[in-house]
């Protein structure tokens, strides 16, 4: 189960489909879109840090659209590569880090009620770590041959849960920062639940599966193995 129904995701993909096809016709490389999306989401993090919450929300939602477009252009344009997948995944983590660092900076310096400052910073740190673990658990599982797309809050859900309220309400319609604090708390909770769901899923799928092959460790320095053999 996901926070966003699959039919809504499919509908939005259909809506931005013409944009993706236009980019393919113009020969735009998906890595270019990935880079642009990362710059946009870093801008969102900076805006959060400086208290421009509505701007941050708009940039975050735009970065989510660019993230969908780079996948569409790569698949439909026949430009899917191993490096492209690696590059996209790596920059996604950079973007998530930038957003939560910006939020934590806002909680430290913005108009957040003093009694909420410490809980808000803690929630931001938990949300940051949990969001990175959501991505890591999927990547690690799929590296072991286990499909792992389960969970209530994938990256798209996390972007919408933060971006839409930030764009609509800014720092909050009442005491500034309180609404944003509760949004981050919800993000931390749903991200942690998603990590648990993925761990449980992999445990079920992998039960009885053969262990992965061990990768030989490389010697730290050249010549160490030979020196050790001579010493015996």
């Amino acid at each position: 189960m996901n926070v966003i129904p699959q039919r809504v995701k499919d509908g939005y993909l259909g809506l931005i489909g013409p944009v993706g096809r236009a980019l393919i016709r113009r020969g735009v490389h998906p890595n270019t879109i990935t880079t642009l999306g990362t710059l946009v989401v870093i801008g969102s993090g900076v805006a959060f840090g400086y208290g421009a919450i509505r701007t941050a929300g708009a940039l975050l939602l735009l970065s989510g659209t660019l993230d969908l477009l780079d996948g569409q252009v790569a698949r439909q344009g026949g430009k899917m590569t191993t490096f492209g997948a690696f590059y996209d995944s790596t920059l996604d983590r950079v973007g998530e880090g930038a957003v939560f660092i910006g939020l934590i900076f806002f909680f430290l310096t913005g108009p957040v009620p003093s009694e909420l400052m410490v809980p808000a910073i803690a929630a931001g740190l938990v949300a940051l770590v949990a969001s990175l673990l959501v991505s890591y658990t999927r990547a690690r599982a799929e590296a072991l041959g286990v499909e792992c797309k389960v969970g209530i809050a994938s990256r798209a859900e996390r972007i919408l849960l933060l971006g839409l309220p930030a764009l609509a309400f800014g720092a909050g319609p009442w005491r500034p920062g309180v609404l944003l604090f509760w949004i981050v708390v919800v993000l931390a909770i749903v991200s942690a639940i998603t990590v648990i769901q993925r761990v449980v899923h992999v445990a079920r799928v992998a039960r009885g599966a053969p262990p992965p092959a061990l990768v030989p460790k490389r010697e730290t320095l050249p010549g160490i193995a030979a020196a050790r053999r001579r010493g015996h």
Side-chain angles (χ1 to χ4, degrees):
M1 184 185 73
N2 294 99
V3 173
I4 306 173
Q6 187 60 46
R7 64 179 181 275
V8 175
K9 295 181 181 180
D10 293 341
Y12 190 68
L13 285 173
L15 189 64
I16 65 174
V19 179
R21 291 189 288 273
L23 292 171
I24 292 171
R25 288 194 298 269
R26 291 180 175 273
V28 178
H29 198 281
N31 288 353
T32 302
I33 305 172
T34 301
T35 303
L36 176 61
T38 302
L39 294 175
V40 171
V41 77
I42 289 174
S44 173
V46 172
F48 273 123
Y50 279 96
I53 308 302
R54 282 193 169 89
T55 300
L59 290 173
L60 183 60
L61 293 173
L62 175 59
S63 75
T65 299
L66 291 170
D67 190 43
L68 293 173
L69 281 172
D70 68 7
Q72 277 197 342
V73 171
R75 287 188 298 272
Q76 298 176 12
K79 294 181 179 179
M80 295 182 66
T81 64
T82 300
F83 175 74
F86 170 80
Y87 185 67
D88 179 67
S89 180
T90 301
L91 291 192
D92 281 349
R93 307 294 80 76
V94 171
E96 286 186 291
V99 167
F100 285 109
I101 289 172
L103 284 166
I104 291 168
F105 186 79
F106 171 75
F107 291 144
L108 277 169
T109 62
V112 180
S114 57
E115 68 272 16
L116 289 183
M117 183 176 293
V118 173
I121 293 169
L125 290 172
V126 172
L128 170 60
V129 173
S131 68
L132 294 176
L133 282 173
V134 168
S135 303
Y136 173 79
T137 48
R138 176 179 172 180
R140 187 68 181 122
E142 292 182 349
L144 296 171
V146 179
E147 187 177 18
C148 190
K149 296 180 180 179
V150 301
I152 61 172
S154 64
R155 189 164 186 268
E157 279 81 6
R158 299 196 303 276
I159 287 175
L160 281 179
L161 281 172
L162 178 58
L164 282 178
L167 177 61
F169 302 110
W174 58 96
R175 299 171 70 192
V178 174
L179 176 62
L180 201 56
F181 161 70
W182 286 111
I183 292 170
V184 174
V185 168
V186 170
L187 279 174
I189 292 171
V190 297
S191 298
I193 291 172
T194 303
V195 172
I196 295 170
Q197 288 176 311
R198 290 187 172 182
V199 170
V200 170
H201 169 75
V202 173
R204 288 174 177 168
V205 173
R207 187 176 294 123
L214 294 176
V215 179
K217 290 185 178 180
R218 183 183 181 277
E219 298 295 341
T220 305
L221 294 172
I224 284 184
R228 285 175 178 169
R229 286 194 293 270
R230 287 196 298 268
H232 288 302

